Amino acid sequence: MAEEGANTADLRDQIVALVPRLRRFCMAVAKGQDAGDDLLQATVERALLKADQFKTDTRLDSWMYRIAQNIFIDQMRAAKTRGREMAMEDAFAVIGDDGLQIVEGRSDLARAQAAMAALPDEQRVLMALVVLDGYSYKDASEMLGIPMGTVMSRIARARRAIDASLRGHPEIAVEGN
C-alpha cells in the first residue's frame, strides 16, 4: 500500500511537470486562453481521479493529451446539444428575434386572415389575385371579365375594410361589390 501511495505521489509530480506543455496544448485545442485553462483544469482533475487507470508502460503526456482531447470533444458535443452558454448580463446584448414581436405579428396575421375571410366574395377574389398573387389590375380585369374601374374600386373597399378591422374598427361596414 505504501508503494501505491508513492506511485500516486510520483504521478502527481509528473503531471505537475507536464502542466506547461499541457496548457499550451489545451489553449490550442480550445482556441483561447480562458477556454484552454478550463480544459487544462478538467484534464488534470480527470487524470488525478483516474490515476489508477494510468499504465506505467505508456507515456504520461500522450495519456494526458488524449484525456484533454476527449474532454474537448465531449464539450463540443454537449454545446451542440445544449446550445451556447453565456452570462445573464451578456444575454441582453445578443441580437435575436423579439418574442413579443413574433407573437404580435402572428396575431396581426391571424386578424388579417380573418378580415380577408370576412370580405364579400367579389372583393376577396380580387384581393387574392392582385395583392396575394401579384397580378396587375388590368390582368385581373381581363381574367374575370369585369371593367378595370370595378377592380380598382373593389380592391380599394377591401383594403379599407381590412385596415379598419386591423385597427379595431370592424363596425365600418364592408361594402358589397
Side-chain angles (χ1 to χ4, degrees):
M1 233 193 216
E3 185 180 318
E4 190 176 307
N7 287 342
T8 303
D10 185 45
L11 182 63
R12 285 182 186 156
D13 291 341
Q14 290 176 25
I15 289 173
V16 168
L18 185 60
V19 165
R21 288 178 38 215
L22 184 61
R23 183 171 188 252
R24 284 191 299 272
F25 176 79
C26 290
M27 286 173 53
V29 169
K31 300 177 185 173
Q33 185 173 351
D34 291 341
D37 286 343
D38 290 344
L39 180 59
L40 173 66
Q41 181 178 346
T43 302
V44 171
E45 180 182 2
R46 185 170 298 172
L48 292 173
L49 288 172
K50 305 286 185 176
D52 60 320
Q53 295 179 8
F54 176 68
K55 294 182 174 83
T56 54
D57 59 336
T58 61
R59 291 181 48 166
L60 179 64
D61 57 350
S62 296
W63 185 64
M64 296 287 291
Y65 291 156
R66 189 68 188 156
I67 291 172
Q69 190 174 9
N70 287 340
I71 291 172
F72 181 74
I73 290 169
D74 290 345
Q75 288 172 345
M76 292 301 99
R77 286 181 184 150
K80 258 186 179 177
T81 303
R82 293 187 192 113
R84 196 172 72 174
E85 290 183 19
M86 66 176 50
M88 190 60 145
E89 54 274 357
D90 296 337
F92 295 108
V94 175
I95 297 174
D97 295 331
D98 181 359
L100 179 61
Q101 190 175 21
I102 290 171
V103 170
E104 287 176 347
R106 287 181 185 156
S107 178
D108 289 345
L109 179 61
R111 288 194 345 245
Q113 288 172 332
M116 178 119 166
L119 293 174
D121 292 341
E122 303 83 19
Q123 292 177 9
R124 191 173 54 256
V125 167
L126 284 168
M127 285 293 285
L129 286 173
V130 174
V131 176
L132 299 180
D133 290 336
Y135 287 103
S136 68
Y137 287 1
K138 181 180 178 192
D139 291 339
S141 169
E142 290 172 0
M143 291 167 91
L144 297 176
I146 57 175
M148 191 158 40
T150 303
V151 170
M152 292 169 59
S153 65
R154 287 179 182 173
I155 294 278
R157 284 193 297 271
R159 285 184 172 162
R160 275 195 306 268
I162 290 173
D163 182 57
S165 179
L166 291 177
R167 290 178 184 266
H169 304 293
E171 65 275 358
I172 296 177
V174 177
E175 303 168 30
N177 286 352

